[in-house]
C-alpha cells in the first residue's frame, strides 16, 4: 500500500466524505483522512473548507497525526485567520509539552502562521522556548524570531527578543549557534561590507574555495575578487590568489547544467574584470554537442573574451566546428564570434575572413547573413584590406532577408561604391521596396546612395533624388526624414562640404564588444553569486517593489599599482575603461550620422554609447529645424557652445538646446497652505496645524500650535516615528514661553533626512508624537514629496537618456493632470523652483515635451516626460514617470499636480 | 590560534548573528561584539554590524535586501513531469497560484528541447529557478534577491534526498510517498530557510519507507515519524550522530574517475580532463577519527571537500583527516586536467559520408583500445544523434547489437567489451530522405565505457588509519574509470 491511494478519491462529494472521516472516532481513520487532505493539498486542490475539521484533529497524542495537522495549518492559516485563532490554545499548550519534538513543532508552526493576531499569542511561548532546556527547541525558536521579525519587526524589538538572541550566540551547544552547516553562503555576505580587509580574512576564506557546495565556492570567489581590488598587482600574494581562483571556477563547470549556467554568467563577469585568472583555461569552455543551449551560448561568449594571440588557432578551429552544428541560434553566435575574434586579435583576421568565406560558400541562409554582418565589422576595423571578398558577398545579395544583414550589405556597397561596378544597380534594386524595409535598412540605404552619388555624381543623380524624396516626402519616420533633409540641404548648398561630411574618415571600431560598462561591472562583482550576476543588472533594476538599494562598489584601489603593472600580468585584451582606440568622441555627430545605426560594435563607457544612440534616435537633439538653423554645425562643438559648467564638455550640439536657465535654484519650493493636523478636541485642547517647506536645501516643518484649553501649556517636545525617507527633527521643539489659553505660536522646526528608515504605508506618511505638560498626543500626516527634491537633481542629459532606457518599461507610470492651463515655459519654471529640472524640450506634432529629472534626498532619481498640448481646451497635461523605485511615482505625480496647480 | 581559526571554518554561530543583522539595532550589535570572545566571531559580528548600519544610513528598504533576502529563500516548489502536469506543490510562505508555472511552460515551449529550458526565468512578480532531474522539473518560486546557486544546489539536494529515500526520483515514487515527501520538504526548509539537509539527520527525523516497516506499521499502528530527537544534533559534530554501533565495523572507499573528452576528426585530443570522486561507505562504531593518505597526493590540486575534512591538515600534510558521517557520503571530488595526465583508453576509426544528390550514405566505425593500462575495457556503448534527414540505417555489427530510432534519430550500439584480437565494428548504409540536401554536419559520437580496478589518473590510496576507537575495522578501496562526456567528432 502506498500513499498514491490518497489521490484516488476524486469524485464529487469528496470534501464531504473527508469531513466525515476527519470526524471519525477511529484514530487510524482520522490519520488516513488527514493524509488524504495533505495529498489533495500537494496537487493544488483547495481543501481550506476542511479547516475546522482538521483543527479538531490537533488534540491528539499521536505525533504523526499532530505533525500532519500542523503541516496543514501552515498552508492555510493565512487564508483563515479567524479559524487559526481557534488553534492557538493548542499551540500554547503544545509549547509546554514534555516531548521536545512537540514543543519545537508547535513554536515552529506558530512562526509560520503569518497572522497578526497569532503573533501576540506567540510571544510568551517563544520566550520560553528560547530558554528551553533542549537545544533543538532553542534552535527552532531562534529561527522563529527571524520569522517573527519578518511579520512584525517592532514587536521583536519591543519584546526584547534581540537580547535573548544575543545570549544564544554564546549558547553552549554549537547546534543552536550553528544552524546550517552546508549553507554558509552568508559568509561572504557578512564579510562583504567590511571596509578594510585584512589578509588574514583571505586565509580564512580560501579553504571555502574547496567547499562541496557551489554557492559557498562562489561566495568565497566574490570575497577574494573584492579583496584583490585592494591588492597591489606586483605583490606575490596577488599572483597566488590568481592561481587559487582558477581551479574552483573551472570545477563549477563540471556540475549539473543549471549550476554551470549560473557559474558561467558569473565567470563572464570575472573574466571581464580579471581576464588573467582564466587565461590558461580556455579549453574547459569548449562546447560539448549535448550541452543545453543556454550553456553553449554562455561558453561561446567567454571563449571570445579569453581569445588571444596565444590560443586563437584553437579557438578558430572550435568555432568553425560549431558553425556546422544544428542549432540555429548557436550557429549564428558562432559565426558572429569568428568576426569578433578577427577584430580582437589582429594576427588572426586573415584566417577569420577566409573561414567566413568558407562558411558563406555553404549557402546556408542564416550562416551567410550572419557572416555578412560580421564582415562589415571587419571592414570597419581593417579598412581597405579585405575588399577582395566583396565580389563573393555580392553574389549572395538575393538571399538576404534579415534587416541586419541587408543593412550591412548596403553599407558595404555604399562604402566601397567606387570599386563595385554595378553599385548603382545593386542599390537601386533595394530601392524598389523601400517602404517595406525596416528603418535600419532605410537609413542605411539613404546614406549609401548619398555616398554613391558623391563618388560617382554623373550617373547617379536620378537615384539620389529618388531616395531623398522617398525619405523626406513619403516617410512617416522622423529619423529618416531628418536625415533626408540634412543630406538634401547639404548637397544643395555645398557639395564640397557634403563630401567632407559624408565621406569623412571613420573612426576604427574598438576590439572588445559587449563589454559591461566598468562601474556597472564593479558593482556586479560585488553581487557575484546573486541573481544580479545572472542578469548582469544591478539589483535595483529588478528587485521587486522598488526597494531602495545600497549601491555597492568595489573598494578604491590602493595607489602604486596600475602604473607599475608588468607586461606579463597585463590582461590579454585591453582592460575595460582604458581602450586606446574607442570610437566616437562624445557627441561626434558626424560619426553618428554616417554609421551608427549599424549597431553594436561600439564600446567604451556608457556615455559614449548613449551619445551615439542619441545621434540616431535624436530624442533630445531638438529637431530638424533648429539643427538647420544652426549655421556651422560642422564646427567643433565646443566652439559654438558657451561654456556650461554643469554639462560635460563635448556633449556637443545638444547643448545648444539646453534649457538651463541657471536661475531659480535659490528660491524655495512650493509651500502648501497650512492644514490642521491635530484638532483640539483630540489633544485636550492643543491644536496643531502646519505645513512643510523646503528652502535653499533645508526642509522644515512649519507648525502652528494653538492652545484652546483653559490651562497653560508648557514642556513641549516632539518626536517622529521612523519613516520612509528618514525625516527627523534636527532641533528640539522650542516654545520659549508657556502657551497660555487662546494663544498661538508659530514654530519652524528644521528637519533632516538622516534618521532611521522604515517603509511606511502610504510612503509619505509621517507619524508624529507631541508631548506637553498635559499628555502625549499622536497624529500622522502626509508630507508632500517635493520637499524631498534636492537641488542637484538635474541629470546630465546623456545620463538621462541612458537611465531612461535602462529603467524597465514596467516601471513607467502614466498620469494625467487635468485643468492645467500652463504653457511649457511656465510649467518648466514653476517646476524648477521646486527642484524639478527640465533637461530638454522638444515639440512633437504640436505637443511640447519636457524631459525632466529630480532626485530625492535618499538618492532615488525620478525621470519624467511631461507632455503639454498648448491648444488643448481641456488643458490636460500628461506625465510619464520612470523610476527604479516605482512606488514613489504616485507621490511624485501628486507633487507635480500640486506644484503645477498653484 | 589554530583552534580559533577552525572555529571560524566550521561556521560558528552564523545564524544568530545573521538574524541580528536583520534587525537594525546597532547598539545591540555592539554589545554582541563585546560579548563575543573569539576574534573570528567578532569579525563576523562587525561585518554584520556594518551591514546593518548601511541599511540605516543609505536608503529605505536597504535592510530588506541585506538581511531578509537570504532568509526568505524559496517561496514555493512545484514538481512538474515531462508531459507538463504539476503533480506536487509545496508552499513555505503563502500559497502561490499554479498559474505562475505558465511562465515556465512558455519558456519550455520556446526551448524546443526540455533540456534547454533556462534555469533562471524572471516573471513580473517572481523568479523561477528550476532544475531538470530524472525527467522531472523542480521549479522553485522566489521573490527576493537570493544566490541562485544556493537555490539550485538546494533543489538538487531535494532530488538527492528523494533518490535516497525512495530508491528513485520519479513521479510514481513521489506520489507513492507523498506524505513523507511533504514532511521532508517541511523539514528541509523552514519558512524558506534551509534547516536540515544532511541525510543523516533527516533519516532520524523521518524514517525512510521500507517494505518491512510499512508491514510492521500497518500491524502495530506505528508511523514513519521518528519519535525521538535526532541525537546527532546533540553532538559537537553536526554531521555524525552519537552512539553509532555496528557488529561488523567496515570502511570502504570507491575511487571513481570519469574522463570528459572531445576528440577531433583526426583522432587528436581537443580537450580532456578527469572528474574524480571518492565515495565512502563508513559503518564504524563510536567516534572514529580517520586519516586517509595517498601514494601520489600531488595529483590532487583541484579538490572539493566534504565539510568533515580538516582543511589545514590537507594543506600541510596532504592527508585527508576526518571524523566521518555515518553511512554513505562523498568524501572528496577532484579534477585532473593537465593534458599529459589524461590517458585516452579508446580510439575510434570512423568514416561517415553522405553522397551529394543521392539518398544514401555510408557509415563505418571501429573501436579499439588505446592507453588502457592493460585492463579490459567493458560496458562500451556508442550513441550517435544522426542528422534529421536520415530515415533509416542498415548496418551490421561484428559484435553487440545496435538500434536506430527513426523518430529521435538516435543510433545506439551496445558493444560490450573489447577483445584486442577482434576489434568491434559497425558498418553499413544510411538511408536519407530523398530530395533533401545532404547534411552539412557529421554527427558526433558519444562513447560510454568502464574499466574496473583502474583509476586512470594514477591516483592510489596508500593507507587508512583510525584513531579514537580500539576495534579493528575492515577496510577496502575499489577503483573504477568510466567515460564521462566523451565525444568523438567525425
Amino acid at each position: 500500500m502506498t500513499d498514491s491511494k490518497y489521490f484516488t478519491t476524486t469524485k464529487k462529494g469528496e470534501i464531504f466524505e473527508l469531513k466525515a472521516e476527519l470526524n471519525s472516532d477511529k484514530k487510524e481513520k482520522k490519520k488516513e483522512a488527514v493524509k488524504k487532505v495533505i495529498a489533495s493539498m500537494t496537487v493544488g486542490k483547495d481543501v481550506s473548507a476542511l479547516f475546522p475539521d482538521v483543527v479538531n484533529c490537533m488534540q491528539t497524542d499521536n505525533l504523526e497525526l499532530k505533525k500532519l495537522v500542523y503541516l496543514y495549518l501552515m498552508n492555510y492559516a493565512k487564508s483563515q485567520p479567524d479559524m487559526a485563532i481557534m488553534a492557538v490554545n493548542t499551540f500554547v499548550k503544545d509549547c509546554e509539552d514534555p516531548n521536545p519534538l512537540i514543543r519545537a513543532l508547535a513554536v515552529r508552526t506558530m512562526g509560520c502562521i503569518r497572522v497578526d493576531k497569532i503573533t501576540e499569542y506567540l510571544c510568551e511561548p517563544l520566550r520560553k522556548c528560547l530558554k528551553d532546556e533542549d537545544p533543538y527547541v532553542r534552535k527552532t525558536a531562534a529561527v522563529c524570531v527571524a520569522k517573527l521579525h519578518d511579520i512584525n519587526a517592532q514587536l521583536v524589538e519591543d519584546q526584547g527578543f534581540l537580547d535573548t538572541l544575543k545570549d544564544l550566540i554564546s549558547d553552549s551547544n554549537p547546534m543552536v549557534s550553528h544552524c546550517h552547516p552546508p549553507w554558509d553562503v552568508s559568509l561572504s555576505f557578512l564579510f562583504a561590507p567590511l571596509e578594510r580587509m585584512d589578509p588574514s580574512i583571505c586565509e580564512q576564506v580560501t579553504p571555502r574555495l574547496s567547499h562541496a557546495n557551489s554557492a559557498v565556492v562562489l561566495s568565497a570567489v566574490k570575497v577574494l575578487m573584492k579583496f584583490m581590488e585592494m591588492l597591489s598587482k606586483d605583490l606575490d600574494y596577488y599572483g597566488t590568489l590568481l592561481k587559487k581562483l582558477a581551479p574552483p571556477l573551472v570545477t563549477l563547470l563540471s556540475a549539473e547544467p543549471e549550476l554551470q549556467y549560473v557559474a558561467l554568467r558569473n565567470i563572464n563577469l570575472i573574466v571581464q574584470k580579471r581576464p588573467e585568472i582564466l587565461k590558461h583555461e580556455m579549453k574547459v569552455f569548449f562546447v560539448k554537442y549535448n550541452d543545453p543551449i543556454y550553456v553553449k551560448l554562455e561558453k561561446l561568449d567567454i571563449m571570445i573574451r579569453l581569445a588571444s594571440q596565444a590560443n586563437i588557432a584553437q579557438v578558430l578551429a572550435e568555432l568553425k566546428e560549431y558553425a556546422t552544428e544544428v542549432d540555429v541560434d548557436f550557429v549564428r553566435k558562432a559565426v558572429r564570434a569568428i568576426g569578433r575574434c578577427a577584430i580582437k586579435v589582429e594576427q588572426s583576421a586573415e584566417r577569420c575572413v577566409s573561414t567566413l568565406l568558407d562558411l558563406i560558400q555553404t549557402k546556408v541562409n542564416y550562416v551567410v547573413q550572419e557572416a555578412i554582418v560580421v564582415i562589415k565589422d571587419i571592414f570597419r576595423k581593417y579598412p581597405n584590406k579585405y575588399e577582395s571578398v566583396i565580389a563573393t558577398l555580392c553574389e549572395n545579395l538575393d538571399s538576404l532577408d534579415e534587416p541586419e544583414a541587408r543593412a550591412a550589405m548596403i553599407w558595404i556597397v555604399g562604402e566601397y561604391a567606387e570599386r563595385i561596378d554595378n553599385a548603382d544597380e545593386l542599390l537601386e534594386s533595394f530601392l524598389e521596396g523601400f517602404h517595406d524595409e525596416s528603418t535600419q535598412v532605410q537609413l542605411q540605404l539613404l546614406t549609401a546612395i548619398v555616398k554613391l552619388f558623391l563618388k560617382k555624381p554623373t550617373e547617379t543623380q536620378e537615384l539620389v533624388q529618388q531616395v531623398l524624396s522617398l525619405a523626406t516626402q513619403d516617410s512617416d519616420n522622423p529619423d529618416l526624414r531628418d536625415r533626408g533633409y540634412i543630406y538634401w540641404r547639404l548637397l544643395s548648398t555645398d557639395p564640397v562640404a557634403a563630401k567632407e561630411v559624408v565621406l569623412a574618415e571613420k573612426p576604427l571600431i574598438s576590439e572588445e564588444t559587449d563589454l559591461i560598462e566598468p562601474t556597472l561591472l564593479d558593482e556586479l562583482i560585488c553581487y557575484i553569486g546573486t541573481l544580479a550576476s545572472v542578469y548582469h543588472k544591478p539589483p535595483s533594476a529588478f528587485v521587486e517593489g522598488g526597494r531602495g538599494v545600497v549601491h555597492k562598489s568595489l573598494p578604491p584601489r590602493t595607489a602604486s599599482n596600475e602604473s607599475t603593472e608588468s607586461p606579463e600580468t597585463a590582461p590579454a585584451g585591453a582592460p575595460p575603461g582604458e581602450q586606446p582606440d574607442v570610437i566616437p568622441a562624445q557627441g561626434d555627430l558626424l560619426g553618428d550620422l554616417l554609421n551608427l545605426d549599424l549597431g553594436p560594435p561600439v564600446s567604451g563607457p556608457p556615455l559614449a554609447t548613449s551619445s551615439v544612440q542619441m545621434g540616431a534616435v535624436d530624442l533630445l537633439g531638438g529637431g530638424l529645424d533648429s539643427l538647420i538653423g544652426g549655421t556651422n554645425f560642422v564646427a567643433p562643438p565646443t566652439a559654438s557652445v558657451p561654456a556650461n559648467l554643469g554639462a560635460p564638455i563635448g556633449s556637443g550640439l545638444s547643448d545648444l538646446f539646453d534649457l538651463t536657465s541657471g536661475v531659480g535654484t535659490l528660491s524655495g519650493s512650493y509651500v502648501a497652505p497650512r492644514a490642521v493636523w491635530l484638532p483640539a478636541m483630540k489633544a485636550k485642547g492643543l491644536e496643531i496645524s502646519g505645513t512643510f517647506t523646503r528652502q535653499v536645501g533645508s526642509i522644515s516643518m512649519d507648525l502652528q500650535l494653538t492652545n484652546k484649553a483653559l490651562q497653560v501649556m508648557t514642556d513641549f517636545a516632539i518626536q517622529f516615528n521612523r519613516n520612509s525617507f528618514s525625516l527627523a527633527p534636527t532641533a528640539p521643539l522650542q516654545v520659549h514661553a508657556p502657551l497660555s489659553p487662546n494663544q498661538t505660536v508659530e514654530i519652524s522646526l528644521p528637519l533632516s533626512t538622516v534618521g532611521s528608515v522604515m517603509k511606511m504605508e502610504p510612503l509619505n506618511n509621517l507619524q508624529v508624537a507631541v508631548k506637553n505638560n498635559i499628555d502625549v498626543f499622536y497624529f500622522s500626516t502626509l508630507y508632500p514629496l517635493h520637499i524631498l527634491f534636492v537641488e542637484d537633481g538635474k541629470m546630465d542629459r546623456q545620463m538621462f537618456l541612458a537611465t531612461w532606457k535602462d529603467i524597465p518599461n514596467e516601471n513607467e507610470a502614466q498620469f494625467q493632470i487635468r485643468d492645467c492651463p500652463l504653457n511649457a515655459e511656465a510649467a518648466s519654471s514653476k517646476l524648477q523652483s521646486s527642484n524639478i529640472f527640465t533637461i530638454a524640450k522638444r515639440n512633437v506634432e504640436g505637443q511640447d515635451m519636457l524631459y525632466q529629472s529630480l532626485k530625492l534626498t535618499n538618492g532615488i532619481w525620478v525621470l519624467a516626460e511631461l507632455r503639454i498640448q498648448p491648444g488643448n481646451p481641456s488643458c490636460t497635461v500628461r506625465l510619464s514617470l520612470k523610476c527604479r523605485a516605482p512606488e514613489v511615482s504616485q507621490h511624485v505625480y501628486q507633487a507635480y499636480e500640486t506644484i503645477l496647480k498653484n | 590560534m589554530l583552534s580559533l581559526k577552525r572555529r571560524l571554518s566550521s561556521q560558528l554561530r552564523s545564524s544568530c548573528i545573521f538574524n541580528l543583522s536583520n534587525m537594525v539595532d546597532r547598539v545591540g550589535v555592539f554589545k554582541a561584539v563585546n560579548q563575543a570572545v573569539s576574534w573570528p566571531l567578532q569579525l563576523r559580528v562587525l561585518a554584520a554590524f556594518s551591514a546593518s548600519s548601511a541599511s540605516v544610513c543609505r536608503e529605505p528598504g536597504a535592510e530588506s535586501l541585506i538581511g531578509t533576502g537570504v532568509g526568505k529563500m524559496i517561496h514555493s516548489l512545484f514538481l512538474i513531469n515531462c508531459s507538463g502536469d504539476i503533480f506536487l506543490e509545496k508552499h513555505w510562505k503563502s500559497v502561490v497560484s499554479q498559474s505562475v508555472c505558465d511562465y515556465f511552460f512558455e519558456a519550455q515551449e520556446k526551448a524546443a528541447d526540455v533540456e534547454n529550458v533556462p534555469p533562471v526565468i524572471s516573471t513580473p512578480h517572481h523568479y523561477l529557478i528550476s532544475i531538470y532531474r530524472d525527467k522531472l522539473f523542480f521549479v522553485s518560486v522566489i521573490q527576493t534577491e537570493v544566490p541562485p546557486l544556493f537555490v539550485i544546489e538546494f533543489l538538487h539536494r531535494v532530488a538527492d534526498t528523494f533518490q535516497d529515500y525512495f530508491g528513485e526520483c520519479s513521479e510514481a515514487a513521489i506520489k507513492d510517498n507523498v506524505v513523507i515527501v511533504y514532511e521532508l520538504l517541511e523539514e528541509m526548509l523552514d519558512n524558506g530557510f534551509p534547516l536540515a539537509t544532511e541525510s543523516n539527520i533527516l533519516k532520524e527525523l523521518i524514517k525512510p519507507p521500507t517494505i518491512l516497516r510499512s508491514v510492521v506499521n500497518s500491524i502495530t499502528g506505528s508511523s514513519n515519524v521518528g519519535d525521538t530527537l535526532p541525537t546527532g544534533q546533540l553532538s559537537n559534530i553536526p554531521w555524525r550522530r552519537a552512539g553509532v554501533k555496528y557488529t561488523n565495523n567496515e570502511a570502504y572507499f570507491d575511487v571513481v574517475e570519469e574522463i570528459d573528452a572531445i576528440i577531433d576528426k583526426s583522432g587528436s585530443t581537443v580537450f580532456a580532463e578527469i572528474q574524480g570522486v571518492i565515495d565512502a561507505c563508513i559503518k564504524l562504531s563510536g567516534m572514529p577519527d580517520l586519516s586517509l593518505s595517498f601514494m601520489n597526493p600531488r595529483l590532487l590540486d583541484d579538490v572539493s571537500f566534504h565539510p568533515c575534512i580538516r582543511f589545514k591538515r590537507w594543506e600541510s600534510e596532504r592527508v585527508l583527516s576526518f571524523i566521518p558521517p555515518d553511512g554513505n557520503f562523498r568524501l572528496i571530488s577532484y579534477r585532473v586536467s593537465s593534458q599529459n595526465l589524461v590517458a585516452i583508453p579508446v580510439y575510434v576509426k570512423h568514416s561517415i559520408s553522405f553522397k551529394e544528390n543521392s539518398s544514401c550514405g555510408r557509415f563505418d566505425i571501429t573501436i579499439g583500445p588505446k592507453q588502457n593500462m592493460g585492463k579490459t575495457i567493458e560496458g562500451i556503448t556508442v550513441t550517435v544523434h544522426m542528422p534529421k534527414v536520415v530515415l533509416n540505417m542498415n548496418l551490421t555489427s561484428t559484435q553487440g547489437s545496435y538500434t536506430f530510432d527513426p523518430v529521435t534519430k538516435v543510433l545506439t550500439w551496445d558493444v560490450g567489451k573489447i577483445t584486442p584480437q577482434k576489434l568491434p565494428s559497425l558498418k553499413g548504409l544510411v538511408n536519407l530522405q530523398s530530395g533533401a540536401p545532404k547534411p552539412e554536419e557529421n554527427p558526433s559520437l558519444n562513447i560510454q565505457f568502464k574499466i574496473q580496478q583502474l583509476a586512470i589518473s594514477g591516483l592510489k590510496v596508500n593507507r587508512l588509519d583510525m584513531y579514537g576507537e580500539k576495534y579493528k575495522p575492515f577496510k577496502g578501496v575499489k577503483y573504477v574509470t568510466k567515460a564521462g562526456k566523451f565525444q568523438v567528432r567525425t
Side-chain angles (χ1 to χ4, degrees), chain A residues 12-28:
Chain A
K12 266 191 183 171
E14 183 194 0
I15 296 274
F16 183 77
E17 264 173 39
L18 281 173
K19 214 178 184 93
E21 285 175 35
L22 284 171
N23 292 316
S24 155
D25 296 335
K26 285 188 193 143
K27 239 188 213 168
E28 252 337 277

Side-chain angles (χ1 to χ4, degrees), chain A residues 262-468:
Chain A
V262 176
L264 285 165
R265 291 294 284 172
N266 280 286
I267 289 174
N268 200 327
L269 295 174
I270 292 168
V271 163
Q272 288 185 56
K273 182 75 194 166
R274 301 202 181 284
E276 61 269 36
I277 293 177
L278 288 166
K279 69 176 172 195
H280 296 306
E281 302 288 348
M282 168 65 90
K283 286 188 173 179
V284 298
F285 299 103
F286 285 1
V287 171
K288 305 198 173 79
Y289 82 90
N290 49 0
D291 282 334
I293 181 74
Y294 54 82
V295 169
K296 284 183 178 173
L297 295 177
E298 287 306 316
K299 280 187 173 174
L300 201 53
D301 215 40
I302 295 170
M303 276 172 69
I304 301 161
R305 294 200 195 288
L306 289 176
S308 66
Q309 203 184 335
N311 56 24
I312 194 73
Q314 271 180 332
V315 174
L316 264 183
E318 279 296 302
L319 291 177
K320 200 174 171 187
E321 192 72 37
Y322 303 159
T324 61
E325 281 222 22
V326 198
D327 192 288
V328 177
D329 282 344
F330 180 58
V331 171
R332 282 173 178 275
K333 192 151 184 176
V335 175
R336 211 161 265 232
I338 296 174
R340 276 169 68 182
C341 285
I343 291 165
K344 191 170 171 189
V345 185
E346 186 164 358
Q347 294 81 356
S348 76
E350 187 138 3
R351 216 171 332 166
C352 293
V353 171
S354 75
T355 308
L356 287 169
L357 282 179
D358 287 352
L359 290 172
I360 289 177
Q361 297 304 346
T362 64
K363 304 278 180 199
V364 178
N365 189 283
Y366 53 84
V367 174
V368 174
Q369 310 213 36
E370 223 35 72
I372 287 182
V373 172
V374 293
I375 286 180
K376 180 258 307 171
D377 288 343
I378 295 177
F379 281 164
R380 291 209 45 202
K381 169 80 184 184
Y382 311 109
N384 304 320
K385 214 165 162 192
Y386 299 109
E387 282 68 36
S388 51
V389 309
I390 291 176
T392 323
L393 301 185
C394 289
E395 288 166 19
N396 292 286
L397 210 60
D398 300 330
S399 65
L400 307 180
D401 53 10
E402 289 162 24
E404 206 180 348
R406 287 174 83 84
M409 193 64 220
I410 292 170
W411 182 87
I412 293 173
V413 174
E415 187 67 17
Y416 298 102
E418 68 273 27
R419 307 192 200 172
I420 305 172
D421 294 336
N422 59 345
D424 49 342
E425 284 167 35
L426 292 176
L427 292 175
E428 200 172 355
S429 69
F430 282 103
L431 210 53
E432 282 158 21
F434 189 77
H435 288 299
D436 302 328
E437 299 282 3
S438 72
T439 310
Q440 190 187 10
V441 180
Q442 289 176 334
L443 287 169
Q444 212 44 251
L445 195 53
L446 173 62
T447 306
I449 293 180
V450 172
K451 282 185 196 163
L452 175 70
F453 171 71
L454 290 168
K455 289 175 178 173
K456 304 180 182 172
T458 45
E459 311 125 65
T460 54
Q461 203 149 12
E462 203 173 310
L463 193 61
V464 81
Q465 259 164 8
Q466 201 182 341
V467 77
L468 285 174

Side-chain angles (χ1 to χ4, degrees), chain B residues 253 278 446:
Chain B
F253 296 91
I278 300 183
N446 213 10

Side-chain angles (χ1 to χ4, degrees), chain A residues 7 9-10 14 40-48 76, chain B residues 89:
Chain A
F7 290 110
T9 53
T10 47
E14 183 194 0
S40 318
M41 211 160 78
T42 63
V43 290
K45 255 183 233 162
D46 185 9
V47 283
S48 58
Y76 283 118
Chain B
E89 60 182 70

Side-chain angles (χ1 to χ4, degrees), chain A residues 536-691:
Chain A
H536 290 185
K537 283 181 195 163
S540 53
F542 61 86
V543 170
E544 175 91 345
R547 296 181 181 99
V549 167
V550 178
H551 280 276
K552 295 192 177 179
S553 59
L554 287 172
R557 282 203 77 101
T558 43
S560 91
N561 41 23
E562 295 295 87
S563 52
T564 52
E565 195 175 278
S566 61
E568 292 86 59
T569 57
E578 38 182 280
Q579 289 116 352
D581 55 349
V582 175
I583 8 170
Q586 297 174 26
D588 184 345
L589 194 63
L590 286 187
D592 300 354
L593 276 174
L594 287 178
N595 294 311
L596 293 161
D597 16 73
L598 280 172
V602 174
S603 83
L607 287 184
T609 334
S610 58
S611 78
V612 163
Q613 283 155 348
M614 192 168 77
V617 179
D618 194 31
L619 182 60
L620 296 176
L624 184 74
D625 298 335
S626 44
L627 188 57
I628 287 180
T631 45
N632 56 344
F633 66 90
V634 192
T638 37
S640 60
V641 178
N644 184 334
L645 292 176
I649 294 177
S651 61
L653 276 178
S654 43
D655 275 350
L656 282 177
F657 315 110
D658 196 306
L659 293 172
T660 331
S661 54
V663 280
T665 35
L666 284 181
S667 66
S669 305
Y670 161 74
V671 179
R674 260 190 214 110
V676 176
W677 286 341
L678 183 70
M681 52 186 288
K682 277 198 179 162
K684 301 187 178 163
L686 174 67
E687 185 183 275
I688 301 179
S689 57
T691 184

